[in-house]
Amino acid sequence: MTNLMDETFMREALKEAKRAFQREEVPVGAVLVHEGKVIAKGHNQVEMLKDATAHAEMICMGAGAQALNNWRLIDTTLYCTLEPCAMCAGALLLSRVKRVVWGAPDLRHGAGGSWVDLFSIQHPTHKLEVTSRVLEQECGALMQAFFRQRRV
């Protein structure tokens, strides 16, 4: 169930996605929240870094680990504008993120049920809470605008 706090933090993730858009990256943004505060931000940098792993979530979790001085992101929530892919889903589990909140579905790569559902499989060491489709229309509209612009 969506709450006002989720929408507030998803709007922060959308700001990051817009930064990616401005840099001609696929517009995905993420923020990591700990104790009610944003401790890390990230947006896609795949093209800039020429690195297929430079997804918004990965960059954000890396920055979060630095902020907490710990790779274990216990009691954090990651907000991302797009459903995480399999790589990012794995990183969320390995990093011990408590909760992920995502916006628009990713029909081609989404690991939260659109392509595959890695979050529904019981993990041996970690349970991840998932909230999906928060501000779905806004997150999806940004993606559509980006790809429409690329096709012109």
Side-chain angles (χ1 to χ4, degrees):
M1 175 163 43
T2 301
N3 64 42
L4 187 56
M5 193 71 80
D6 285 345
E7 290 182 9
T8 299
F9 288 124
M10 186 61 76
R11 289 191 198 292
E12 291 300 310
L14 271 164
K15 288 178 188 175
E16 286 297 308
K18 290 173 183 171
R19 285 188 179 92
F21 190 111
Q22 292 166 351
R23 293 175 170 95
E24 298 184 0
E25 296 275 359
V26 175
V28 180
V31 297
L32 188 67
V33 175
H34 183 253
E35 296 179 350
K37 295 180 183 141
V38 173
I39 61 163
K41 299 177 181 184
H43 57 269
N44 270 7
Q45 297 182 40
V46 171
E47 300 300 332
M48 184 183 83
L49 298 176
K50 297 177 180 26
D51 179 354
T53 69
H55 288 192
E57 301 95 323
M58 301 295 284
I59 289 167
C60 189
M61 285 185 282
Q66 294 300 309
L68 294 175
N69 197 30
N70 194 334
W71 63 267
R72 292 174 191 87
L73 303 176
I74 295 169
D75 293 328
T76 62
T77 299
L78 184 103
Y79 292 83
C80 50
T81 58
L82 188 67
E83 177 183 359
C85 70
M87 172 184 67
C88 294
L92 286 159
L93 289 165
L94 290 170
S95 297
R96 312 295 196 269
V97 170
K98 181 178 182 178
R99 183 170 174 246
V100 63
V101 180
W102 56 265
D106 182 348
L107 301 178
R108 295 182 312 137
H109 303 288
S114 293
W115 170 59
V116 66
D117 193 351
L118 296 180
F119 301 134
S120 68
I121 302 167
Q122 185 173 349
H123 190 271
T125 61
H126 186 63
K127 173 76 171 138
L128 179 69
E129 297 170 32
V130 179
T131 302
S132 59
R133 300 178 185 264
V134 173
L135 300 184
E136 176 181 0
Q137 300 302 324
E138 291 167 62
C139 294
L142 187 62
M143 292 292 286
Q144 290 171 348
F146 176 79
F147 286 109
R148 206 170 20 253
Q149 183 182 72
R150 305 286 289 180
R151 289 187 200 107
V152 175

